[in-house]
């Protein structure tokens, strides 16, 4: 038996699970999204501690420090995938392919993305406060300065730059999700996820959910960043970029390539799907 799924199987699998999650009850999808945001926050926290503590490396080889940050960051994405919770950024492609295939309608797709984003935001911000600041992991001199520097840079870029970085970030995140789908064994899924996620983080791209950990944590640690700077200067352009990168630059072309043979049927509504009754098969983000 092959340990790999074909590209057409991956896209169909992605659309199928996008439909299943999109029609879940609000409480179920929301809880999965909170856990997803928490896991992304924990991966970010680990990266902050490891890279932020490498002060000598920052001075002698900043590129290697960025790689160190990117190398440990995928912990959160791997946890999201292997434990079957929810992540907005990968849903940008998964939800779009579900909509394209006819599994869900536009209103259900919008509902899916909004609940997923809101739940991720709650999980990420709560993790920043509870596990980052209350444990004092992000209040040591080196870690705090590193956190503040990164957050301050993120809110200082022009809208178009942050948007474009958001596009590339989610192209790589959705490729990571697809490569995770491709493998049928745990190690293969972890390896498929690790490379693209490591790449977008090392390159300094903008991931809206990770930023919902980084910038609020920096604000709570005393960074001179206002709420409007955070939302207007980073969160909005990064999120829009993530949507475009995931839905239009990954979801759309792969749907055109591998799903054109599927005849669109009447979209499933949330209350009509088995998942709404609590019968949910194996799920991955």
């Amino acid at each position: 038996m092959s340990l790999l799924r074909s590209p057409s199987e991956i896209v169909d699998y992605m659309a199928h699970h996008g439909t299943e999650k999109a029609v879940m009850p609000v409480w179920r999808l929301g809880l999965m999204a909170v856990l997803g945001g928490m896991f992304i926050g924990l991966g970010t926290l680990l990266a902050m501690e490891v890279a932020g503590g490498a002060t000598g490396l920052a001075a002698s080889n900043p590129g290697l420090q960025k790689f160190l940050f990117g190398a440990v960051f995928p912990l959160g994405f791997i946890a999201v995938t292997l434990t079957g919770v929810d992540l907005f950024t990968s849903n940008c492609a998964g939800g779009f392919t579900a909509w394209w295939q006819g599994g869900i309608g536009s209103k259900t797709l919008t509902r899916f993305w909004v609940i997923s984003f809101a739940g991720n935001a709650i999980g990420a911000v709560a993790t920043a406060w509870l596990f980052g600041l209350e444990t004092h992991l992000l209040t040591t001199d080196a870690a705090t300065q590193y956190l503040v520097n990164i957050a301050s840079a993120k809110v200082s870029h022009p809208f178009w730059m942050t948007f474009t970085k958001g596009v590339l970030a989610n192209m790589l995140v959705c490729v990571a999700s697809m490569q995770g789908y491709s493998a049928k064994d745990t190690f293969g899924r972890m390896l498929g996820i690790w490379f693209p996620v490591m790449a977008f983080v090392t390159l300094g791209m903008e991931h809206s959910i990770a930023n919902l950990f980084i910038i609020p944590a920096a604000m709570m640690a005393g960074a001179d960043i206002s709420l409007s700077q955070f939302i207007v200067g980073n969160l909005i352009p990064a999120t829009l970029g993530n949507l475009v990168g995931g839905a239009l630059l990954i979801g759309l072309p792969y749907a055109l390539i591998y799903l054109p043979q599927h005849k669109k049927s009447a979209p499933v509504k949330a209350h009509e799907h088995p998942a709404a009754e609590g019968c949910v098969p194996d799920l991955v983000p």
Side-chain angles (χ1 to χ4, degrees):
M1 183 180 70
S2 173
L3 292 178
L4 291 176
R5 293 183 176 89
S6 69
S8 61
E9 287 176 317
I10 295 167
V11 179
D12 193 66
Y13 190 74
M14 182 165 62
H16 173 70
H17 285 292
T19 298
E20 289 180 337
K21 286 202 293 184
V23 299
M24 283 182 175
V26 173
W27 73 266
R28 185 185 296 271
L29 177 59
L31 182 57
M32 290 170 63
V34 170
L35 289 170
M38 182 182 75
F39 291 155
I40 295 302
L42 291 174
T44 310
L45 176 60
L46 175 64
M48 286 287 174
E49 282 297 300
V50 173
T55 52
L57 192 62
S60 63
N61 195 333
L64 192 55
Q65 186 194 35
K66 291 178 181 178
F67 174 75
L68 188 62
F69 188 97
V72 297
F73 181 89
L75 164 75
F77 285 83
I78 291 170
V80 167
T81 300
L82 296 185
T83 64
V85 290
D86 187 70
L87 183 61
F88 164 75
T89 44
S90 54
N91 288 342
C92 292
F96 184 89
T97 54
W99 172 83
W100 181 270
Q101 196 178 45
I104 57 175
S106 299
K107 289 183 179 179
T108 303
L109 175 62
T110 302
R111 169 188 178 273
F112 180 29
W113 283 345
V114 169
I115 296 170
S116 180
F117 185 87
N120 283 173
I122 292 169
V125 174
T127 301
W129 169 71
L130 184 61
F131 299 120
L133 300 176
E134 291 300 307
T135 60
H136 297 289
L137 286 172
L138 290 177
T139 56
T140 60
D141 290 342
T144 302
Q145 191 57 53
Y146 187 68
L147 171 69
V148 169
N149 289 346
I150 289 180
S152 298
K154 284 181 175 292
V155 300
S156 66
H157 297 144
F159 186 99
W160 179 249
M161 179 186 292
T162 301
F163 172 84
T164 306
K165 286 186 172 187
V167 170
L168 180 54
N170 211 27
M171 289 178 68
L172 289 169
V173 166
C174 291
V175 166
S177 293
M178 293 176 71
Q179 292 184 175
Y181 288 133
S182 73
K184 297 180 181 179
D185 66 299
T186 300
F187 180 73
R189 295 179 78 182
M190 292 173 64
L191 200 60
I193 292 165
W194 186 84
F195 278 99
V197 174
M198 175 277 295
F200 99 74
V201 177
T202 302
L203 290 170
M205 299 298 104
E206 298 288 345
H207 185 270
S208 56
I209 308 306
N211 290 351
L212 278 160
F213 175 95
I214 294 170
I215 301 175
M219 293 167 67
M220 288 184 276
D224 185 20
I225 299 172
S226 68
L227 185 61
S228 63
Q229 282 180 299
F230 167 41
I231 295 175
V232 178
N234 181 271
L235 190 60
I236 290 175
T239 303
L240 291 175
N242 290 168
L243 273 168
V244 170
L248 300 184
L249 297 186
I250 296 296
L252 176 59
Y254 277 95
L256 287 169
I257 294 167
Y258 292 109
L259 296 179
Q261 72 275 20
H262 291 277
K263 182 180 179 180
K264 286 194 175 185
S265 56
V268 177
K269 296 180 181 178
H271 66 277
E272 296 174 345
H273 195 278
E277 303 298 326
C279 179
V280 184
D282 173 48
L283 291 166
V284 290

